[in-house]
Amino acid sequence: MLVEDVTECFSKTKIFQASNDEDKDDFIYKAINIKGGVNHLSNRELKFLEKEAKKRFNYKITIMKMIDNNQFISQISKYLPNDVQQNLSEVMKAEPGDIIILGGGRTFPICSLLGYLRKLVASLLEGKGIKIQDPDAFNFVWVNNFPLFMPKEDCDISLETTHHPFTAPIAEHQDMIYTKPEKVCGQHYDLVLNGFEIAGGSLRIHDEKLQRYVLEDVLKEDASSLEHLLQALQSGCPPHGGIAVGFDRLMAILCGESTIREVIAFPKTGEGNDLMSNAPALISEELLNEYNIQLIDDDNNS
C-alpha cells in the first residue's frame, strides 16, 4: 500500500477546496489503495478509519469503493466526472473490489494522516490473517528533504522545527528561509528499516547570522541562552553534521522482536523499574554524604 499523490487527478474539480488563498499553493490530494478491501474490511471498520482521521488530524477522508467499468461508489462520486474517475483509477491501479482512501488538504497534515491510516489498515488486515509485511524481508529506505519547519499543533501561524533548530536548510532553499520558511526543506535524514527509524542525523547551520535569524525571527525564541553557540559560529565554524544509529532498535528488528526491551541489557518494566539492578532504590545517607547531596522534603520546605 503506497501513499500516492493524486493531486493532478483533481486539478479541475472543487472537491476538498482550500479554505483560503494562502493554502492554495500547499493543497494536495493523497490516496492509498486497499487491494480487495471490499472483501476484507467491514463498514464498521471503515467508519473507524474515518473517525480516527477526524479525531487525530481533524481531517475528513473519503472512502471510495471500486466497482466495474472504473466507477467508484462514494459520497463524492456524483460530483466527479467520468474522466476524473478514470484518471484516479489508472493512477491508483484500482480494480473491482479495491477500496481507495482519499484525503485532501495541506501537505504536512495530509501526508501524516495517510501515513497513519496506511499503518492502521495494515494492522487491521494482518489481524484477519492477511499477510501484508514479510517478516523475513529487510527493506531499507533513506528519507530526506523533510520540511525544516512545521505549523505548531495549537497555532497554525507559528512554526516549530521538525528536527531541531540547528538543522541547515538545503542549499537551494536557503534564500527562501527569509520569505517562505514554511516551504523550506532541511538537511536532515533518516534511515528506515521495515518501517522503523534505525538512524538519523543532519547537517547543521554554521553561519551565525542564519542561526540567529532562525531562532529569533522564524521560531520567535529568546536566543540569549545560546549566545555562546552564536559567538562560536561567528568566530568561524566549518560545515559539520553527523548521524546516530539506534542500535537497540536495529538489533530488535534483526532478532525478530517487537520491542527493544528484549534486546537491551537492562530492560525496564512498564512502571520504569529495572529488575536487574533493583532500581530505583532508596539511597543511603552515607552515599548521599559522599557526594554532598542533601534531600529536601518539598512539603516541609514550602
Side-chain angles (χ1 to χ4, degrees):
M1 283 186 294
L2 298 178
V3 178
E4 302 282 1
D5 189 326
V6 292
T7 304
E8 190 61 32
C9 297
F10 295 90
S11 59
K12 297 180 181 179
T13 70
K14 296 183 179 180
I15 305 297
F16 302 131
Q17 278 187 305
S19 57
N20 55 63
D21 290 338
E22 188 175 319
D23 287 342
K24 285 182 179 178
D25 292 338
D26 187 36
F27 201 89
I28 63 169
Y29 298 90
K30 293 279 187 177
I32 58 176
N33 183 359
I34 309 171
K35 303 298 293 183
V38 171
N39 298 321
H40 302 312
L41 295 178
S42 66
N43 287 332
R44 180 180 178 183
E45 288 168 323
L46 295 176
K47 287 290 185 184
F48 168 70
L49 296 176
E50 291 177 329
K51 289 180 180 179
E52 282 291 294
K54 188 66 176 176
K55 181 176 72 173
R56 292 179 178 269
F57 297 88
N58 197 29
Y59 268 88
K60 182 179 180 181
I61 58 171
T62 297
I63 306 292
M64 308 179 71
K65 297 180 180 180
M66 178 71 168
I67 57 175
D68 293 333
N69 301 321
N70 294 324
Q71 298 295 305
F72 291 97
I73 298 177
S74 75
Q75 294 178 342
I76 66 171
S77 293
K78 62 182 179 180
Y79 304 110
L80 296 179
N82 289 337
D83 61 327
V84 173
Q85 297 192 42
Q86 175 72 28
N87 290 339
L88 179 63
S89 172
E90 291 176 359
V91 172
M92 298 304 300
K93 297 180 174 59
E95 299 174 319
D98 292 351
I99 292 178
I100 305 297
I101 298 181
L102 174 69
R106 296 172 64 183
T107 300
F108 191 85
I110 283 297
C111 288
S112 300
L113 166 61
L114 269 294
Y116 171 76
L117 292 178
R118 177 175 174 264
K119 292 191 294 184
L120 201 56
V121 169
S123 178
L124 289 173
L125 294 176
E126 289 189 326
K128 299 171 182 286
I130 301 169
K131 187 177 179 181
I132 301 297
Q133 303 176 75
D134 183 354
D136 297 322
F138 293 100
N139 298 302
F140 291 88
V141 62
W142 280 102
V143 182
N144 56 12
N145 287 332
F146 289 92
L148 189 55
F149 308 104
M150 64 181 180
K152 287 186 176 180
E153 289 188 9
D154 56 348
C155 182
D156 278 348
I157 62 174
S158 298
L159 297 175
E160 61 184 1
T161 57
T162 56
H163 193 59
H164 58 63
F166 314 110
T167 306
I170 62 175
E172 53 267 39
H173 285 184
Q174 184 154 325
D175 291 339
M176 199 189 302
I177 207 166
Y178 300 102
T179 56
K180 294 182 178 180
E182 70 279 2
K183 303 287 188 182
V184 175
C185 291
Q187 294 193 65
H188 43 131
Y189 33 80
D190 288 340
L191 178 59
V192 177
L193 172 58
N194 293 358
F196 293 96
E197 178 187 341
I198 60 169
S202 67
L203 297 183
R204 298 198 171 193
I205 297 172
H206 59 279
D207 177 84
E208 180 266 339
K209 291 182 180 179
L210 176 59
Q211 183 66 80
R212 188 180 295 275
Y213 183 85
V214 167
L215 292 170
E216 297 180 345
D217 295 87
V218 178
L219 301 176
K220 312 299 182 186
E221 299 283 353
D222 181 5
S224 59
S225 62
L226 293 169
E227 280 299 326
H228 61 289
L229 169 65
L230 296 170
Q231 289 177 13
L233 295 180
Q234 191 175 32
S235 299
C237 179
H240 59 288
I243 188 169
V245 176
F247 192 73
D248 46 7
R249 173 60 64 189
L250 175 59
M251 288 299 101
I253 296 172
L254 294 178
C255 294
E257 299 291 349
S258 60
T259 170
I260 62 173
R261 288 169 56 189
E262 300 298 330
V263 297
I264 60 179
F266 299 99
K268 307 295 187 293
T269 66
E271 293 75 32
N273 299 320
D274 186 335
L275 303 182
M276 300 290 288
S277 61
N278 293 322
L282 294 175
I283 303 175
S284 67
E285 195 69 31
E286 180 182 3
L287 191 58
L288 289 173
N289 291 335
E290 182 178 345
Y291 288 96
N292 296 311
I293 298 175
Q294 180 182 7
L295 299 182
I296 298 176
D297 191 324
D298 285 341
D299 294 333
N300 294 336
N301 191 44
S302 59

